[in-house]
Amino acid sequence: MSSGKGKDTDKTNTYEVRKDRVVTNVQGNPINEPFATQRIGKHGPLLMQDANLIEVLARFNRERIPERNPHAHGSGAFGYFEVTDDITDICGSAMFSEIGKRTRCLTRFSTVGGEKGSADTARDPRGFSTKFYTEEGNLDWVYNNTPVFFIRDPAKFPHFIHTQKRNPQTNLKDANMFWDFLTTPENQVAIHQVMILFSDRGTPASYRTMNGYSGHTYKWSNKKGDWHYVQVHIKSDQGIENFTNEEAVKLAGENPDFVQKDLFENIEKGNAPSWTVYIQTMTEEESKKLPFSVFDLTKVWPHKQFPLRRVGKLVLNENPKNFFAQVEQAAFAPSNTVPYQEASADPVLQSRLFAYSDAHRYRLGANFNQIPVNCPFASKFFNPAIRDGPMNVDGNFGSEPNYLAQDKTYQYIQQARPIQQHQEVWNGPATPFHWATSPGDIDFVQPRMLYRNVLSKQPGQQKNLAHNVGVHVANACPEIQKRVLKMFAKVDQELASNIAKECKAAMIHAESRAKL
């Protein structure tokens, strides 16, 4: 038997597929006839002793695992990250140690609100998660294609996601639920993300032609212990391409997997998509001078004040060999980090440190880290107290004691890295703080700048924003429609007026179609 993890000389714990392609049951016993079933006579009842039939049916009943909630519909590919610029003054992680260094990675893109079988052209934010298999452990960047989000109070997340899914009575998508949450005065901090979502960037033409953003603020340190607040930008080298609302809706009916097909076929043809990775950095002193909190997920950092600094290149050049094994079972969590990269005090990020890994324990089991796509193969895993549980397949540390034994030697190298203790110092009582929409105008300043200074320079985008909101809110009741218009009027009165016109036109069109 094994004398320890990874020492299975007798192959007891090694799984291999038969290379002679002889078909067997799961115990390795050859099957003589795949479709013959044991029965009494030719047409009599089946026999319970037909173990192969029972196995096939029982396993079929158990093929599906719980889908992600949210981010159920997704696509993925493997590739690498290559360092192009020296940022060792900002971050001491080994993956950034030298220019030209490559780290293997897996990226999964996804829609957020829809079920696994929903359309991937739907209006929705897109997940943009990358797992880096680094020599210091697996690092997950669990990002989105938008630089902000709808909430900054983590307790609102389940409520928000429920409103984006289905009405519990009708089991239908419900515009009243959707807009009721977003227009509730204390939740209107979502307006910045809503503006992005209902621009054409809410319907990307492909995963290849959209950006990724950390959204959250992180803390990165160099090996001297100097630290900065950091946000990450992953910008598409293919440029940005989006669908109009009508194009996205049409494709949703014709080919709900259009974007997944686009990614797979382009990589298969050798058109490997790439993204240039940048960072924004900020000192603690600079953060104290901001007109908003550095931990506010609904705000962006001004590029003039905090310019983008290039880091490297993300390239996806390898399709998965098996989607279920390598994409559906992939488990991303912001708590999966490496030395010199830490979470900040952003409350939504703090909550995700627990929620994501816990979701995988539920969805994939306690030993989800042993699934090959999630295994830290570049650094290996050793912690003899973390063992047992269902589906433990890595040898379970053999005869290693399941506690820190006095007669064994253990190494701890992280303690030599003075990162956290000299950074932020927190003082104060435990406080139940509801980070609702701020009094005054502060939460509408950046959405207004987006509308007047950014979308105004992109032909047709102000008009499309009003149209996209109008045709969606036309499905809501009159009271909700009034609340939507009132909220957008705080951004720009012209925008609210144009939404009202688009909403009215959509309602008239729906009435005329109903009479046909």
Side-chain angles (χ1 to χ4, degrees), residues 147-150 188-198 297-300 443-450 491:
V148 295
F149 198 59
F150 298 91
Q188 290 186 17
V189 68
I191 185 62
H192 197 176
Q193 173 74 322
V194 171
M195 294 272 291
I196 297 172
L197 176 63
F198 279 89
L297 182 55
T298 69
K299 304 293 186 292
V300 296
D443 291 326
F444 291 86
V445 170
Q446 290 192 354
R448 188 175 302 120
M449 292 172 63
L450 173 64
V491 176

Side-chain angles (χ1 to χ4, degrees), residues 87-94 96 136 218-230 279 281-282 337-343 414 417-424:
I87 62 160
T88 54
D89 60 313
I90 299 296
C91 187
S93 297
F96 301 129
E136 295 179 305
Y218 289 82
K219 294 194 304 181
W220 288 10
S221 305
N222 62 27
K223 290 188 176 181
K224 297 178 183 178
D226 304 323
W227 68 278
H228 289 79
Y229 290 124
V230 169
I279 57 172
T281 64
M282 183 189 304
T337 190
V338 293
Y340 304 107
Q341 296 185 46
E342 300 177 38
Q414 182 68 11
R417 299 182 172 124
I419 299 176
Q420 183 67 43
Q421 59 266 36
H422 70 288
Q423 297 184 7
E424 304 126 315

Side-chain angles (χ1 to χ4, degrees), residues 59-121:
R59 290 298 295 268
F60 178 76
N61 288 342
R62 292 161 174 80
E63 281 183 0
R64 302 280 79 82
I65 60 176
E67 68 176 35
R68 290 171 171 87
N69 180 27
H71 293 278
H73 190 169
S75 311
F78 291 91
Y80 62 87
F81 169 78
E82 181 175 352
V83 178
T84 58
D85 296 79
D86 183 9
I87 62 160
T88 54
D89 60 313
I90 299 296
C91 187
S93 297
M95 64 184 289
F96 301 129
S97 63
E98 58 182 306
I99 293 175
K101 185 170 186 176
R102 289 188 176 185
T103 300
R104 182 167 171 78
C105 64
L106 164 69
T107 294
R108 181 179 185 268
F109 306 100
S110 58
T111 54
V112 176
E115 300 88 357
K116 194 173 186 302
S118 60
D120 59 14
T121 58

Side-chain angles (χ1 to χ4, degrees), residues 314-333:
L314 173 68
V315 179
L316 299 180
N317 59 358
E318 179 186 337
N319 278 319
K321 297 295 186 291
N322 183 276
F323 185 89
F324 180 86
Q326 296 177 301
V327 179
E328 188 64 18
Q329 290 193 122
F332 300 89

